[in-house]
Amino acid sequence: MQKRSWTIMAKMDQTNTLDGAGGATSPPSELEQAQIICVIGGPGVGKGTQCARLVTDLGVLHLSVGDLLRAGADKILTKQGIDIVAYMRDGKLVPKETVQGILEDAIVFSVKAGKTHILLDGFPRSVDQTKLFEASNCKIKAMLLFQGSRETLLQRVLNRAKTSGRVDDTEAIFEKRYQGFLDESEEIIRYFEQEEKLVKRIFSGGPNEGKGLGSLDGEGAGGGN
Ligand code: AMP
């Protein structure tokens, strides 16, 4: 009897748990533990600013896909031969496999550091990206969709260009990215709605933009739809 309980304990050390049938089950992986809220919106809509507010208000972690890609650009060019800066300069989406790799690394790192509730800013940019992400067992809980007028967004991007040093903060690339966002976002929203995930539209660019996340209460700062 003593021998058997030692055997079970040794097995539990390896697997952490045993299921009811006596078989081994693993604890949830870091990717499975992460609770993700996606944040999307056109260029210059203020996703980063609004995410920073939510970090302060809710204590969630903010991961910006664009920032992660910019930070990892040199390494990815060396390791995978993928030139992220060239994609950005053309206003094009970086291949989904590259995005997925960089996201998985960042999420695993964050969960290991005890941060399981994550705002994923700039993701998804397509339904294909969403499916690949979900296939890795990451759970998307909801999506915040920030919207604003084209004129306001363009002005913000041109203003940001004065100091950002970003290769894509130009009027020509803005037009491409803004159109790309309009084309892709409706399909993404339809997919989320089919999957019965919460999609919250928030108006964050225009006459009442100063109200910012006031519209999360459902009051609408200037009309969210
Ligand atoms: P952002 O920092 O969100 O304005 O994104 C800047 C650029 O990074 C985009 O124009 C794309 O080239 C790239 N990028 C950001 N997020 C994604 C994503 N989810 N999928 C593919 N490319 C992305």
Side-chain angles (χ1 to χ4, degrees), residues 16-71:
N16 281 347
T17 54
L18 288 174
D19 66 20
T25 57
S26 312
S29 68
E30 283 86 8
L31 294 178
E32 287 167 324
Q33 287 175 56
Q35 309 286 317
I36 307 284
I37 295 183
C38 293
V39 180
I40 65 169
V45 78
K47 301 186 296 289
T49 309
Q50 303 291 8
C51 283
R53 289 184 187 166
L54 288 171
V55 167
T56 309
D57 292 350
L58 305 178
V60 291
L61 182 79
H62 174 208
L63 288 181
S64 155
V65 181
D67 286 350
L68 289 171
L69 289 170
R70 278 181 284 272

Side-chain angles (χ1 to χ4, degrees), residues 107-182:
I107 291 169
V108 168
F109 183 85
S110 306
V111 171
K112 279 186 175 162
K115 294 283 183 183
T116 50
H117 290 62
I118 298 172
L119 289 176
L120 210 45
D121 165 2
F123 189 89
R125 292 291 226 291
S126 69
V127 171
D128 276 359
Q129 283 189 352
T130 317
K131 289 182 176 169
L132 186 62
F133 188 72
E134 289 176 327
S136 74
N137 284 329
C138 281
K139 296 180 199 73
I140 300 177
K141 293 290 179 192
M143 180 165 73
L144 305 180
L145 166 71
F146 286 97
Q147 295 175 305
S149 73
R150 182 193 157 283
E151 291 67 29
T152 303
L153 271 52
L154 174 61
Q155 283 317 311
R156 285 185 186 160
V157 166
L158 295 181
N159 203 33
R160 186 172 71 187
K162 293 175 192 160
T163 53
S164 71
R166 282 178 53 163
V167 293
D168 51 357
D169 277 349
T170 68
E171 186 162 356
I173 300 301
F174 169 85
E175 295 299 349
K176 225 168 160 178
R177 296 180 61 213
Y178 183 72
Q179 194 53 50
F181 171 72
L182 294 182

